[in-house]
Amino acid sequence: MSTVLNPVIAPAPAAAPFRPGPLGTHITIRGLTKHFAGWPLYENFDLDIPKGKIVSVFGPNGCGKSTLINMIAGLVPIDAGEILFDGKSLAQTKIGYVFQNYREALFPWLRTIDNIAYPLRLEGRSKAEVDARVQELVASFDVKFDLRRYPYELSGGQQQTASIMRALAPGPEVLFLDEPFSALDFEMTLFIREKLQEVFMQTGTTMLLVSHDLEEAVYLADQILLLTKRPTRVAEILDYADARPRTVETLSEPGFVRMKKLSLEIFQREVRK
Ligand SMILES: Nc1ncnc2c1ncn2[C@@H]1O[C@H](COP(=O)(O)OP(=O)(O)OP(=O)(O)O)[C@@H](O)[C@H]1O
Ligand SMILES: [Mg+2]
């Protein structure tokens, strides 16, 4: 005689509800997973990025800083997880991206002014609107070079200035910058750094900045996101609240020096692990 077991059917586990970030969160990342060639880079990674702040991403070489911002910006596909901007999808969000390599970022066949106007034209704005917005950017960046020139006729710093103007033209909700200063000379770095800070103070645009220069990362940041070696996790998030505008004097102030030292200690701890 066989006994018929009455199987107990376990209720299907309810899908975990989306966990929103704390008040003031702009970008919510949940369960982000990304593998390259079978190796995990991010595994079930959660992060909240605050709105209207500059977040500097810092971590060991190859830990996935660029990949992180590229996944958020939709340039690199994710394997699993969810990324929301104020609860909206990327497609519903206006973003800007400034590439490290400005030489390849601008369209060489367009005059600089047309490069800057490009995203505005793409949005279908009228000629008058496009002209007005470009003039606004020219004034705000205090542009001294001739925007009718082609990108190859400009210096590196001028090209990167134009790239930033193009990224900002449509008024993005989030601006991504991957090592935007690394190909610039020192003078141009200082100039663009100040411009970015000015634009940030005018617009309050959320910015995600990858930098391999710790001083630069701290100088511009409201928050320093320190990452571990891969598989990458958040090592620590530091808040740096010194008043803006930050200036050359800021670099020797105790608050700045302390923040830089602390970031370096966390970085070294992670690299040595
Ligand atoms: N398309 C790809 N295919 C395979 N592996 C990749 C790819 N892109 C990135 N990786 C690997 O993923 C890891 C993270 O790369 P990523 O460029 O994001 O690091 P990073 O922190 O920006 O590095 P760096 O400090 O050098 O700029 C590295 O080990 C890299 O080799
Ligand atoms: Mg990188």
Side-chain angles (χ1 to χ4, degrees):
M1 196 175 92
S2 64
T3 318
V4 177
L5 290 175
N6 207 357
V8 179
I9 300 169
F18 186 81
R19 184 168 50 83
L23 202 68
T25 298
H26 195 170
I27 307 170
T28 329
I29 301 172
R30 294 291 177 269
L32 175 66
T33 297
K34 178 72 185 173
H35 290 223
F36 275 126
W39 286 91
L41 182 60
Y42 288 94
E43 200 114 54
N44 212 3
F45 181 89
D46 292 350
L47 180 67
D48 297 312
I49 295 169
K51 195 184 188 82
K53 306 263 181 200
I54 300 182
V55 176
S56 285
V57 185
F58 195 76
N61 272 337
C63 76
K65 302 179 290 295
S66 298
T67 305
L68 178 65
I69 72 163
N70 290 342
M71 288 189 296
I72 302 172
L75 300 177
V76 167
I78 64 177
D79 294 344
E82 198 165 15
I83 302 175
L84 291 177
F85 302 76
D86 272 338
K88 300 175 298 179
S89 70
L90 175 67
Q92 299 165 308
T93 306
K94 216 185 261 190
I95 63 162
Y97 195 109
V98 177
F99 294 88
Q100 171 179 14
N101 192 346
Y102 53 79
R103 282 190 195 86
E104 288 170 11
L106 295 170
F107 303 125
W109 60 89
L110 290 180
R111 291 179 192 278
T112 306
I113 194 156
D114 294 320
N115 264 283
I116 297 168
Y118 182 84
L120 301 168
R121 297 203 172 114
L122 211 58
E123 285 182 343
R125 299 209 208 176
S126 71
K127 183 172 179 326
E129 278 175 323
V130 172
D131 290 349
R133 178 64 183 138
V134 171
Q135 281 323 309
E136 205 173 80
L137 287 157
V138 167
S140 128
F141 274 77
D142 196 18
V143 174
K144 298 283 196 314
F145 54 92
D146 184 359
L147 289 173
R148 284 166 309 176
R149 292 187 180 283
Y150 285 92
Y152 72 89
E153 297 177 282
L154 304 180
S155 74
Q158 291 168 339
Q159 288 180 50
Q160 193 59 311
T161 305
S163 307
I164 295 175
M165 290 167 74
R166 182 179 66 180
L168 287 168
E173 295 161 59
V174 186
L175 182 66
F176 298 90
L177 306 112
D178 190 0
E179 310 216 12
F181 314 113
S182 62
L184 302 179
D185 63 30
F186 186 61
E187 189 187 341
M188 218 51 227
T189 297
L190 289 185
F191 174 77
I192 297 204
R193 199 156 92 172
E194 293 329 310
K195 283 291 152 203
L196 263 183
Q197 180 170 234
E198 266 174 51
V199 168
F200 175 73
M201 289 174 69
Q202 284 166 22
T203 61
T205 308
T206 302
M207 295 191 191
L208 259 175
L209 168 77
V210 174
S211 175
H212 68 267
D213 179 319
L214 185 57
E215 178 158 295
E216 201 165 270
V218 175
Y219 179 79
L220 282 173
D222 295 297
Q223 197 174 79
I224 303 135
L225 168 64
L226 292 148
L227 297 174
T228 65
K229 285 196 286 197
R230 62 187 296 187
T232 310
R233 287 165 293 102
V234 173
E236 214 136 336
I237 295 175
L238 302 176
D239 289 312
Y240 174 46
D242 263 0
R244 293 186 193 275
R246 297 176 188 159
T247 63
V248 175
E249 278 75 52
T250 307
L251 301 176
S252 50
E253 278 165 12
F256 177 82
V257 174
R258 217 172 22 246
M259 192 52 60
K260 202 177 136 186
K261 182 163 178 283
L262 183 57
S263 304
L264 184 61
E265 283 165 5
I266 295 164
F267 174 77
Q268 285 178 324
R269 183 187 79 199
E270 291 305 326
V271 169
R272 286 184 191 132
K273 265 184 188 166

